[in-house]
Amino acid sequence: MRRLNALVPALLVLAAPAAQAQSAASAEEEAAATGWFKAAGHAFDPSAYGEADMAPLVAQLGGARIIGIGEATHGGHQDQAFKAELIKALVRAGQVQVLMLEANRAAAAGFDRYVRTGEGNPAALIHSRSFFATWKDDEFAGLILWLRAWNMQARQPVRIVGIDCQDGGRDAQAALEFVRSHDPRAARRLRAGLGSLVPVPEALPGRFLDWFKSRDLAEQVKVTAGVGALAAWFDSAPAAARSDPGFADARQAARMAVQGFAIFKVFRHDFDESKASEADFSLRDRYMADNAVALLGAGEHAALWAHDTHVTHAVPASWKDLGFLAVGMVLEERLGDGYRTVGFTWSRGAFWASTIADTSLASIGGAQRPVVQQLVNNRPGEYGALFDATGAQAMWVDFTRRPRGEVLDRWARRPYWRGWAGWGTMPGTWQQADAAQGYLPGDAASGFDVLVWFRDLSPARRWPALPTAKK
């Protein structure tokens, strides 16, 4: 269970192998929490909210260098739609000039060209193989179209960057093309070390992870060294290359290719699972945080579109001691008050997610087809139960202004499930504690400056899948 959650933390819920089960909140403590939600929460109509509803939230978040905006699941409509509207409100208020995506560099670059220049077909970009299937839906696509319309009249256009590093083939290919334009001899030498990684076969299905897992150990080792050599070229690049406006982007692509091989080292044929640590499985979040900071320009402010388990800025100390990291934890270390975050929870409903059979690396690396999962998050010990007691339909609460007091402070340390699910989940063990495996809920009041709740969650409006290429 530990590896499953650490490698893909948005899959189920954060876990800590050494954590001890905490005692549940008392009726008095829960009554205090619900009373605070009623008194200080901002209730809204989940089917008809607008700028007026968003204004106080925008004011609370304004000024942050990066605002991490999560989602409880990768397949729900309400949390994604709210996130998109919040980003629009932040852009209108001049609080955001960059949209950072939990997406690979190449996919985000296509969206960036479209929203800034109109180049490209937005439907084709959404369906790109380099863009995660998770967000091939109306909620994300609507934001992209809106940003294009905004940029057509904006003095300072909003740009888009991808901070994820799961696309080593395209990243290496982009870097190699830059090297070829300035140093053809070096490019030929470097190309030989990349084996079958480039050129990327765009006409074929599959992901970088699929390519990596299908190579024998000799090629895994060879190409890992090859992308390292490619990245090293940029450290001693000739002056003409360094003065090229595309140098920084190409160098970043090379770095992200190296990152891709590092995060997937757990799939190398010589990797010993028994010696795996939490740090091995937290590399992706560490790299995404590094990329976010590297891609943020001077004076810019960004919104980060990702899952709750990536944007959270705090986890129990026992998890952190084991080496677990989230993007938000690293960003808060580097930016301090310049990083703020919005998380989500819900009570009942449905969302898209793959059904995972077990916690093996084989299941993690699979590509199971998503289905609509019918689950709940309002049983005892689940966050939705607290919000249900408010009588509202939807609400957001500013946790930075939580009143201090003995009862509410005790509640803040109690364990609650959040209703988190990523690209996949295990319905049969949904939010069932297993202390031996470290599958435990997190603290009630940690991780987010603002928490948004919906009573009902419905599936995201997914786009029709493209027909599968015939063999």
Side-chain angles (χ1 to χ4, degrees):
M1 187 68 71
R2 175 184 75 203
R3 294 192 192 101
L4 185 60
N5 294 318
L7 180 63
V8 189
L11 179 57
L12 294 170
V13 69
L14 300 176
Q20 299 297 316
Q22 300 167 281
S23 58
S26 67
E28 178 188 25
E29 291 163 355
E30 291 203 330
T34 299
W36 170 47
F37 294 166
K38 286 183 177 180
H42 296 255
F44 61 91
D45 182 342
S47 65
Y49 53 89
E51 289 188 55
D53 297 290
M54 291 289 182
L57 181 52
V58 170
Q60 195 274 2
L61 298 169
R65 291 298 310 282
I66 298 179
I67 303 169
I69 309 176
E71 58 196 40
T73 81
H74 271 329
H77 165 68
Q78 282 75 12
D79 44 4
Q80 287 192 36
F82 187 93
K83 172 160 58 174
E85 292 304 316
L86 176 56
I87 291 170
K88 294 175 189 177
L90 289 164
V91 169
R92 284 192 293 262
Q95 302 285 8
V96 162
Q97 298 83 39
V98 183
L99 174 60
M100 293 181 169
L101 300 176
E102 181 196 336
N104 293 317
R105 180 201 57 80
F111 293 131
D112 181 59
R113 284 191 297 273
Y114 172 71
V115 300
R116 288 189 301 104
T117 70
E119 177 186 344
N121 180 327
L125 294 170
I126 293 289
H127 275 306
S128 166
R129 297 190 187 282
S130 65
F131 185 55
F132 299 142
T134 301
W135 295 304
K136 296 181 189 292
D137 53 36
D138 286 354
E139 293 79 9
F140 180 81
L143 175 60
I144 295 299
L145 293 174
W146 185 90
L147 286 173
R148 173 59 192 146
W150 173 267
N151 282 348
M152 290 174 70
Q153 54 82 48
R155 292 184 177 179
Q156 182 179 9
V158 175
R159 64 188 186 93
I160 297 177
V161 298
I163 65 169
D164 211 342
C165 50
Q166 299 185 66
D167 200 15
R170 291 181 181 84
D171 291 339
Q173 185 166 303
L176 183 65
E177 288 172 356
F178 180 87
V179 176
R180 184 177 292 116
S181 68
H182 289 278
D183 191 345
R185 179 178 297 179
R188 286 192 294 272
R189 171 177 54 82
L190 293 168
R191 170 64 185 84
L194 297 177
S196 61
L197 181 65
V198 295
V200 177
E202 293 289 352
L204 299 177
R207 304 161 296 168
F208 169 56
L209 176 57
D210 298 324
W211 172 89
F212 186 85
K213 291 169 64 179
S214 68
R215 302 302 96 177
D216 60 29
L217 178 59
E219 186 163 15
Q220 288 179 339
V221 172
K222 170 189 172 180
V223 182
T224 299
V227 295
L230 175 62
W233 179 89
F234 288 86
D235 296 334
S236 57
R242 291 177 177 275
S243 64
D244 187 316
F247 178 80
D249 288 342
R251 187 176 199 176
Q252 182 66 22
R255 288 172 174 167
M256 294 172 94
V258 171
Q259 293 170 2
F261 277 81
I263 67 171
F264 288 144
K265 70 178 182 180
V266 296
F267 293 102
R268 267 179 55 150
H269 302 311
D270 60 347
F271 184 78
D272 186 349
E273 285 191 52
S274 67
K275 296 181 180 179
S277 69
E278 296 298 320
D280 290 325
F281 298 100
S282 292
L283 273 177
R284 179 181 169 225
D285 277 62
R286 166 68 74 179
Y287 287 143
M288 287 198 291
D290 290 344
N291 295 335
V293 173
L295 293 169
L296 186 65
E300 287 185 326
H301 298 76
L304 169 58
W305 175 295
H307 191 276
D308 274 12
T309 51
H310 293 304
V311 304
T312 183
H313 62 68
V315 297
S318 58
W319 304 358
K320 191 173 182 180
D321 290 344
L322 290 163
F324 179 85
L325 281 176
V327 175
M329 295 165 62
V330 180
L331 291 179
E332 185 169 75
E333 287 177 0
R334 298 189 181 184
L335 302 177
D337 291 340
Y339 180 69
R340 296 175 194 166
T341 186
V342 179
F344 291 81
T345 192
W346 51 282
S347 292
R348 59 177 183 259
F351 54 88
W352 292 98
S354 298
T355 299
I356 307 302
D358 55 54
T359 63
S360 66
L361 285 173
S363 288
I364 296 173
Q368 297 87 341
R369 184 178 297 278
V371 297
V372 174
Q373 308 281 352
Q374 298 276 354
L375 295 168
V376 297
N377 185 45
N378 62 352
R379 300 168 297 187
E382 296 176 334
Y383 230 128
L386 292 175
F387 280 99
D388 278 352
T390 67
Q393 296 296 313
M395 175 183 293
W396 63 266
V397 180
D398 184 350
F399 272 63
T400 66
R401 298 181 181 181
R402 176 174 62 82
R404 294 301 188 266
E406 181 181 352
V407 177
L408 206 53
D409 286 350
R410 287 202 309 268
W411 167 81
R413 296 188 294 271
R414 299 303 187 190
Y416 282 90
W417 299 104
R418 304 286 184 125
W420 285 344
W423 63 267
T425 190
M426 298 174 68
T429 57
W430 171 252
Q431 300 195 151
Q432 294 179 14
D434 185 342
Q437 291 289 328
Y439 186 43
L440 300 169
D443 299 345
S446 67
F448 303 98
D449 297 308
V450 171
L451 190 65
V452 184
W453 163 77
F454 292 95
R455 181 183 294 274
D456 296 296
L457 196 68
S458 59
R461 284 72 187 271
R462 292 174 62 87
W463 278 23
L466 293 178
T468 303
K470 295 181 179 180
K471 296 183 179 180

